[in-house]
């Protein structure tokens, strides 16, 4: 009975033990708890299937652990098991009985069939002896004739050899005319034993004529050996033939190896020509499915010829193995050096694979004839360097494409002038980052999935290189963004955009593009690239797990999150500085003590609004629209309304005394501490947030410039007029109207503090001047259009 190795249930185990005890006369040989077929558990006295089963102990155990219902249930189960075991035992006995009967019948049939076989074997033996005796008679009768035939055959062979010797000079002459020097050498070497034995007697004339012919052949072989017009294989064959003729070719070894080394220049890869070869990259293991172009076929023929030369020189110069190994390795090295220069160009993975297949085929051809060079292992190390160079080149080209997309200026005609199209630059840059990265990953995946034997062993290395490459690429991209934000646009890129203010606009706009592009890289590009790397480039591990993961998307996201905030703040700073220069010129140029009565809104307001308009157009191209907040109404009791005209007019209509100004200052400070307005908040990536921040900073600069001047009444009124005109257009472009109102009021209060006679304009006059300015502005817009 066979024993299964699989675990058995309790019923099967009991059946096995029962059969074992049935067939074993000695109970001691029944399966023990330590046997391999038994379950690895301790057998106790209450185990009903063990040989050490104690019925009394088992009954006591059941009575202690079970109630009456449990005992009845166990009784029913044991009765069913006993019945099943009796049935199984009965079936087993019946089956064994049938087998015994079948075996008995088979033995009886065998005895019946064997009867009569002995007489048949004796008859067969008599026939074999008869055949053997007749065969001996035939051999005896034909023995003399066979001896005679063999003698005649030996005589015939001898005559053929003699005839060959007499015909040898003529044969050698024909070989010289047809340049079949290999046949001539073979014929002469075959005749050498006869010439040595009978050359001075019977075949003296034939020997002399043959030696004269061989002298001509040796001279011709020497000429072919050193001829530059002959192929490497032809020269190698000439050297082999000379050595077979016992010519001292060792003295020619240095010169021959030098010529072989010079021939390496003709075996260099022509990458430009090979790039046009049509190679089936899907099934590179089947050479018949790779149709080679003419340059590839010519290169393969040249390398095959070089390999045959190596084979021949190994035979001719057995002690020159090291030199031949160095020549073969030099050829592989030059192949990969050419590949390294080739991958610096913008090539795709198919072109690289095409070149690597050609190199690998060359390696296999030379490895067949010079296995000692271990060229496959040598080329594997060189291929690692080439693949690293290719990966680095792809990332370098990707960085260059992104840089081009950012720095190549796109302009469009609008209102008769040129406007810097930031949206085009941003979309182009996004496409360059995301689509360029996907193209690079697709290129690397084609290399990874290729079944070229040279690359199969480099899969883990390629995965590590791709992951490390993206990590280093995004760090380099961040550095490049910093470089672009820290210098002006090169004149060679677009001369028109750096002339005057347009170049500054282009540069500031570029910084804004960098800010939004950094956000795009963090939120869109990095997650997409991470998914692709996890799907196609997981694994690796060549760099060692102790160095940590090669690609850390969290770190890259933190870098570009910080970079985005940095560029956004830089854009705000650049735009604010430009407006500050305008404000500085406005407040430092005139003599405010002698300022004339205001007639209209000053032109600096138009320039200020033009700058804000340019900023608004830039941010609309790049940033999304946000929600406006702190919208003021008549009943909200804001700080701006608390500084409205009734209070200010009440204070400013007093006489020009120190007491009046002191009371105004005290009132201003009381209002400021009574209700706080949040002026500067964190800048968000929205149009309103950026414009609001620039407006607030500009108004703070305006406030500081006001505090540095001293005004007469007319100067103060001019400031009041300009500020009042700015209220409406500024609040239309910002998200925090309360803060803008507060800052504008601060400017007026600051001007009143620095004024010698702070009497404001009457509201009707102020409104009239503002309406006149608005009317002129409306008239200028149709005429400009």
């Amino acid at each position: 009975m066979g024993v299964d190795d699989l675990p058995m249930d309790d019923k099967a185990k009991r059946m096995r033990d029962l059969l074992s005890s049935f067939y074993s006369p000695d109970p001691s040989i029944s399966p023990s708890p330590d046997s391999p077929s038994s379950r690895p558990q301790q057998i106790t006295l209450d185990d009903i299937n063990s040989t050490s089963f104690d019925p009394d102990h088992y009954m006591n155990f059941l009575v202690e652990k079970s109630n009456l219902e449990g005992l009845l249930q166990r009784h029913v189960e044991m009765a069913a098991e006993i019945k099943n075991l009796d049935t199984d035992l009965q079936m087993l006995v019946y089956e064994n009985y049938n087998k015994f009967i079948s075996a008995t019948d088979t033995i009886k049939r065998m005895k019946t069939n064997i009867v009569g076989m002995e007489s048949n074997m004796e008859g067969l033996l008599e026939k074999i002896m008869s055949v053997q005796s007749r065969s001996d008679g035939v051999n005896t009768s034909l023995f003399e004739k066979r001896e005679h035939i063999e003698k005649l055959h030996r005589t015939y062979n001898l005559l053929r050899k003699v005839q060959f010797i007499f015909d040898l000079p003529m044969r050698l002459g024909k070989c010289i005319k047809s340049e079949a020097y290999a046949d001539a050498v073979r014929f002469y070497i075959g005749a050498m034993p006869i010439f040595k034995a009978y050359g001075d007697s019977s075949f003296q004339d034939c020997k002399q004529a043959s030696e004269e012919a061989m002298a001509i052949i040796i001279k011709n072989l020497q000429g072919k050996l050193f001829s530059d017009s002959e192929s490497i294989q032809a020269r190698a064959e000439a050297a082999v033939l000379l050595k077979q003729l016992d010519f001292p070719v060792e003295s020619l070894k240095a010169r021959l190896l030098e010529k072989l080394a010079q021939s390496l220049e003709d075996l260099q890869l022509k990458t430009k020509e090979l790039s046009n070869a049509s190679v089936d990259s899907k099934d590179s293991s089947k050479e018949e499915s790779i149709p080679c172009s003419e340059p590839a076929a010519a290169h393969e023929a040249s390398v095959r010829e070089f390999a045959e030369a190596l084979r021949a020189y190994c035979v001719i110069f057995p002690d020159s193995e090291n030199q031949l190994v160095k020549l073969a390795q030099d050829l592989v090295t030059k192949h990969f050096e050419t590949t390294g220069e080739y991958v610096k160009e913008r090539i795709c993975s198919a072109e690289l694979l095409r070149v690597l297949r050609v190199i690998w085929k060359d390696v296999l051809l030379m490895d067949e004839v010079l296995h000692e060079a271990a060229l496959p292992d040598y080329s594997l190390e060189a291929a690692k360097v080439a693949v690293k160079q290719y990966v680095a080149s792809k990332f370098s080209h990707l960085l260059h494409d992104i840089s081009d997309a950012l720095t190549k200026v796109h302009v469009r005609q609008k209102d008769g002038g040129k406007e810097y199209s930031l949206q085009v630059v941003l979309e182009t840059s996004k496409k360059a980052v995301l689509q360029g990265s996907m193209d690079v990953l697709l290129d690397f995946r084609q290399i990874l999935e290729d079944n070229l034997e040279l690359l199969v062993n480099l899969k883990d290395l390629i995965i590590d290189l791709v992951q490390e490459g993206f990590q280093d690429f995004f760090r380099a991209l961040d550095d490049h963004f910093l470089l672009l934000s820290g210098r002006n646009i090169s004149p060679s890129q677009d001369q028109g955009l750096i002339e005057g203010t347009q170049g500054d606009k282009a540069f500031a706009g570029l910084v804004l593009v960098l800010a939004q592009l950094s956000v795009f890289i963090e939120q869109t590009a990095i997650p997409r690239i991470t998914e692709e790397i996890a799907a196609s480039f997981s694994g690796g591990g060549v760099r060692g797990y102790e160095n940590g993961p090669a690609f850390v998307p969290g770190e890259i996201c933190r870098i570009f999150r910080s970079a985005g905030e940095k560029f956004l703040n830089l854009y705000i700073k650049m735009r604010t500085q430009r407006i500050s220069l305008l404000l500085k010129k406005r407040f430092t140029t005139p003599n405010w003590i002698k300022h004339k009565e205001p007639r209209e809104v000053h032109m600096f307001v138009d320039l200020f609004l033009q700058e804000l308009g340019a900023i608004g157009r830039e941010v609309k191209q790049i940033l999304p629209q946000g929600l406006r907040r702190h919208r003021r109404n008549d009943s909200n009791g804001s700080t701006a309304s608390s500084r409205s005209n009734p209070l200010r007019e009440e204070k400013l209509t007093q006489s020009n005394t120190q007491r009046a100004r002191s009371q105004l200052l005290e009132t201003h400070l009381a209002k400021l501490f009574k209700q706080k307005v949040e002026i500067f908040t964190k800048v968000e990536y929205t149009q309103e947030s950026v414009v609001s921040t620039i407006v607030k900073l500009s108004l703070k600069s305006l406030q500081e410039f006001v505090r540095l001047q001293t005004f007469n009444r007319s100067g103060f009124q001019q400031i009041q007029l300009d500020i009042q005109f700015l209220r409406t257009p500024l609040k239309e472009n910002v998200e925090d109207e309360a803060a803008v109102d507060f800052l504008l009021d601060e400017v007026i209060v600051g001007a009143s503090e620095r004024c010698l006679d702070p009497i404001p304009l009457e509201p009707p006059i102020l409104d009239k001047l503002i309406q006149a300015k608005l009317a002129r502005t409306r008239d200028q817009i149709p005429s400009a259009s």
Side-chain angles (χ1 to χ4, degrees):
M1 300 292 292
V3 180
D4 237 335
D5 292 334
L6 297 175
M8 297 180 295
D9 55 10
D10 293 339
K11 180 179 179 181
K13 182 176 179 299
R14 288 198 302 271
M15 179 60 110
R16 183 201 62 196
D17 294 341
L18 179 61
L19 295 177
S20 177
S21 62
F22 179 78
Y23 285 104
S24 176
D26 185 4
S28 63
I29 66 175
S30 61
S32 64
D34 300 280
S35 64
S37 61
S38 61
R39 203 173 290 178
Q41 62 183 14
Q42 185 67 27
I43 297 178
T44 60
L45 297 176
D46 57 356
D47 188 356
I48 198 170
N49 295 318
S50 67
T51 57
S52 60
F53 174 69
D54 186 354
D56 296 334
H57 183 274
Y58 182 69
M59 283 302 301
N60 293 333
F61 176 77
L62 285 180
V63 170
E64 291 176 0
K65 298 296 182 179
S66 304
N67 54 18
L68 180 60
E69 184 179 355
L71 292 174
L72 292 175
Q73 181 65 28
R74 182 58 181 156
H75 169 71
V76 172
E77 292 176 357
M78 292 184 66
E81 289 179 3
I82 293 171
K83 184 176 181 181
N84 292 334
L85 289 175
D86 291 341
T87 303
D88 294 339
L89 184 61
Q90 186 178 7
M91 292 299 298
L92 182 63
V93 171
Y94 287 159
E95 290 177 0
N96 289 338
Y97 183 72
N98 292 333
K99 292 178 182 179
F100 291 149
I101 293 176
S102 177
T104 304
D105 294 340
T106 302
I107 294 172
K108 288 180 180 180
R109 287 196 299 271
M110 289 177 62
K111 290 182 177 180
T112 304
N113 294 335
I114 289 174
V115 175
M117 183 177 293
E118 185 176 355
S119 59
N120 294 335
M121 294 299 293
E122 292 177 355
L124 179 60
L125 179 60
E126 292 177 357
K127 293 179 180 180
I128 291 174
M129 295 300 294
S130 175
V131 171
Q132 183 178 1
S133 61
R134 293 181 180 179
S135 176
D136 293 340
V138 171
N139 289 336
T140 303
S141 62
L142 296 178
F143 177 75
E144 295 180 358
K145 294 181 180 180
R146 185 184 298 113
E147 288 291 329
H148 182 64
I149 291 173
E150 289 178 357
K151 183 177 180 181
L152 292 177
H153 182 68
R154 288 193 294 271
T155 304
Y156 173 74
N157 289 337
L158 181 60
L159 292 175
R160 286 186 59 191
K161 292 179 181 179
V162 172
Q163 184 64 37
F164 176 79
I165 296 299
F166 281 111
D167 294 341
L168 182 60
M170 182 178 64
R171 289 174 180 266
L172 294 178
K174 291 181 180 180
C175 291
I176 292 173
K177 291 181 181 179
S178 61
E179 296 185 355
Y181 301 121
D183 293 337
V185 171
R186 180 166 54 85
F187 294 154
Y188 184 74
I189 292 176
M192 284 296 295
I194 298 177
F195 284 150
K196 288 181 180 180
Y198 307 103
D200 296 333
S201 57
S202 303
F203 304 106
Q204 185 176 4
D205 295 337
C206 293
K207 179 182 178 182
Q208 184 177 357
S210 299
E211 289 177 348
E212 292 175 357
M214 290 307 300
I216 298 174
I217 291 174
I218 291 174
K219 182 179 179 181
N220 292 343
L221 289 175
Q222 287 179 333
K224 180 178 289 190
L225 187 63
F226 298 109
S227 176
D228 295 333
S229 60
E230 295 291 339
S231 64
I232 300 176
Q233 186 174 3
R235 283 182 279 179
E237 290 176 355
V240 172
L241 294 177
L242 287 174
K243 187 170 184 180
Q244 290 177 359
L245 294 173
D246 295 332
F247 188 84
V249 294
E250 290 294 331
S251 59
L252 308 176
K253 180 174 70 172
R255 188 174 176 183
L256 290 174
L257 293 178
E258 182 181 356
K259 283 187 170 293
L260 187 62
Q262 293 174 356
S263 67
L264 294 180
E265 298 296 331
D266 299 330
L267 299 176
Q268 292 303 304
L269 285 174
K270 305 297 188 297
T271 53
K272 295 297 183 181
E273 298 176 359
L274 291 175
S275 62
N276 298 323
S278 174
V279 181
D280 184 6
S281 62
K282 299 296 184 181
D283 190 8
S284 61
S285 62
K286 298 180 180 180
E287 295 185 359
E288 64 273 12
S289 65
I290 305 178
C292 296
S293 64
E294 292 183 2
H299 176 79
E300 181 182 354
S302 300
V303 174
R304 192 177 296 276
E305 183 180 341
F306 178 77
E308 292 300 325
L310 292 178
R311 186 198 303 273
Y313 285 2
C314 285
V315 177
I316 300 170
F317 311 116
D319 57 343
S320 63
E321 179 179 305
N322 293 335
Q323 293 172 283
L324 296 176
V325 167
K326 187 177 183 305
L327 285 176
Q329 292 179 347
D330 288 345
L331 179 59
V332 175
T333 301
K334 290 182 178 180
H335 279 359
F336 280 103
E337 288 176 355
T338 304
T339 305
E341 294 296 325
Y342 183 48
V343 298
K344 292 179 181 179
E345 304 174 6
R346 191 181 293 270
I347 63 172
C348 63
S349 59
E351 293 171 339
L352 174 65
L353 292 173
R354 198 169 295 137
V355 173
L356 292 179
R357 285 194 185 93
V358 173
I359 295 176
W360 185 245
K361 186 177 291 185
D362 294 349
V363 168
L364 295 180
L365 286 175
M366 291 185 290
D367 187 60
E368 291 179 359
V369 301
L370 196 62
H371 189 67
E372 296 79 5
L375 292 180
D377 295 336
Y378 185 82
S379 61
L380 184 64
E381 296 300 321
K384 291 180 181 179
V385 178
V387 171
K388 289 180 181 179
Q389 292 175 335
Y390 177 73
V391 172
S393 175
K394 293 297 290 185
F395 284 116
S396 175
H397 288 303
L398 178 58
L399 181 62
H400 186 268
D401 291 341
I402 298 172
S403 178
D404 282 350
L406 288 169
T407 56
K408 285 184 178 178
V409 178
H410 299 267
V411 294
R412 60 186 178 184
Q413 298 295 328
K414 184 175 182 180
D415 298 335
K418 291 184 177 180
E419 181 180 347
Y420 187 62
S421 178
L422 299 179
Q423 186 175 7
V424 175
V425 176
L426 178 61
E427 295 303 323
T428 306
S429 303
K430 286 182 178 180
K431 183 178 180 181
V433 172
L434 184 57
Q435 189 59 45
S437 299
M438 292 298 104
D439 292 342
V440 167
L441 285 171
L442 177 61
D443 218 48
F444 293 151
R445 188 166 67 244
Q446 291 176 352
I447 296 177
L448 192 65
E449 294 174 352
D450 196 274
N451 57 359
L452 181 64
E453 187 178 353
L454 183 61
L455 296 176
V456 170
N457 297 325
L458 299 180
K459 289 187 181 295
D460 290 340
L461 174 66
I462 294 173
I463 291 174
D464 284 346
L465 289 177
V466 172
Q467 295 185 6
E468 290 177 6
F470 267 106
Q471 189 79 7
D472 296 339
F473 163 73
F474 281 112
R475 289 173 179 168
L477 185 61
D478 177 57
D479 294 339
H480 190 69
F481 283 0
L482 293 175
L483 181 64
L484 290 177
S485 66
R487 64 175 176 83
N488 215 333
I489 301 296
S490 174
S492 62
Q493 294 172 353
D494 194 306
Q495 185 66 29
L497 282 176
I498 63 170
E499 295 176 355
T501 60
Q502 189 70 22
D504 297 334
K505 288 179 63 179
F507 179 52
L510 180 60
V511 173
L512 183 61
V513 170
L514 292 176
Q516 189 63 16
L517 185 59
S518 298
V519 175
F520 172 79
I521 292 174
E522 177 206 352
Q523 298 180 355
T524 304
I526 296 299
R528 178 77 181 279
I529 292 171
T530 303
E531 291 177 2
E532 186 66 23
I533 289 178
S536 303
F537 297 91
S538 60
V542 174
R543 66 194 301 269
Y545 291 102
E546 65 276 3
N547 298 323
F551 180 61
V552 186
E555 178 185 349
I556 301 300
C557 289
R558 287 192 297 271
I559 290 174
F560 280 94
R561 186 184 308 118
S562 174
E565 296 174 355
K566 190 183 306 179
F567 293 139
L568 190 62
N569 291 326
L570 178 60
Y571 173 77
I572 294 173
K573 180 181 178 182
M574 295 173 66
R575 283 309 192 189
T576 305
Q577 286 177 347
R578 180 176 175 82
I579 295 176
S580 296
L581 292 176
L582 174 64
L583 298 175
K584 182 179 180 181
K585 184 177 181 181
R586 162 62 179 143
F587 283 93
T588 57
T589 301
N591 186 354
W592 292 99
I593 300 297
K594 299 180 179 180
H595 200 281
K596 296 180 180 181
E597 185 178 346
R599 301 287 183 180
E600 60 180 357
V601 178
H602 195 271
M603 61 177 293
F604 102 91
V605 174
D606 296 331
L607 297 177
F608 181 47
L609 293 177
Q610 286 178 8
E611 287 295 329
L612 292 180
I615 294 171
R617 288 190 294 272
E618 286 181 350
V619 297
K620 284 180 182 178
Q621 295 181 66
I622 301 301
L623 299 176
Q625 194 170 8
L627 299 176
R628 299 186 66 181
R629 59 181 180 176
H630 297 293
R631 190 175 293 274
R632 192 186 71 170
N633 52 43
D634 295 337
S635 62
N636 61 2
S638 66
T639 303
S641 64
S642 68
R643 299 180 181 273
S644 58
N645 289 333
L647 173 63
R648 189 177 298 104
E649 290 175 4
E650 180 183 353
K651 294 295 180 182
L652 296 179
T653 53
Q654 296 179 3
S655 61
N656 186 15
T657 63
Q658 184 66 29
R659 181 172 175 274
R661 286 196 296 271
S662 299
Q663 289 179 353
L664 183 63
L665 178 60
E666 291 173 2
T667 303
H668 165 62
L669 292 175
K671 295 287 185 180
L672 179 63
F673 285 103
K674 182 178 180 181
Q675 184 172 1
K676 295 182 180 180
V677 176
E678 188 178 10
I679 304 298
F680 297 104
T681 58
K682 182 179 179 182
V683 184
E684 299 176 356
Y685 290 90
T686 61
Q687 302 172 15
E688 291 79 8
S689 178
V690 172
V691 174
S692 297
T693 304
I694 294 175
V695 169
K696 292 175 186 177
L697 291 172
S698 301
L699 293 179
K700 287 296 290 183
S701 298
L702 178 59
Q703 181 183 353
E704 296 301 322
F705 286 128
V706 166
R707 289 177 177 176
L708 296 176
Q709 303 298 326
T710 302
F711 304 93
N712 62 1
R713 180 192 300 177
S714 299
F716 169 68
Q717 291 175 349
Q718 182 67 57
I719 298 298
Q720 180 191 8
L721 175 61
D722 295 341
I723 295 302
Q724 190 64 29
F725 181 81
L726 283 173
R727 285 185 185 274
T728 301
L730 288 183
K731 290 191 289 184
E732 289 176 353
N733 295 320
V734 299
E735 62 177 355
D736 194 351
E737 297 179 4
V740 172
D741 263 338
F742 177 82
L743 291 172
L744 290 172
D745 289 340
E746 287 291 306
V747 174
I748 295 178
V749 172
S752 68
E753 294 172 354
R754 299 294 299 170
C755 180
L756 301 176
D757 186 15
I759 298 178
L761 285 171
E762 295 294 332
I765 299 175
L766 187 65
D767 185 64
K768 181 179 179 180
L769 293 175
I770 291 176
Q771 293 300 324
K773 175 63 176 177
L774 293 175
R776 284 195 301 273
T777 303
R778 286 192 296 267
D779 293 339
Q780 290 175 0
I781 293 176
S783 62
S785 60

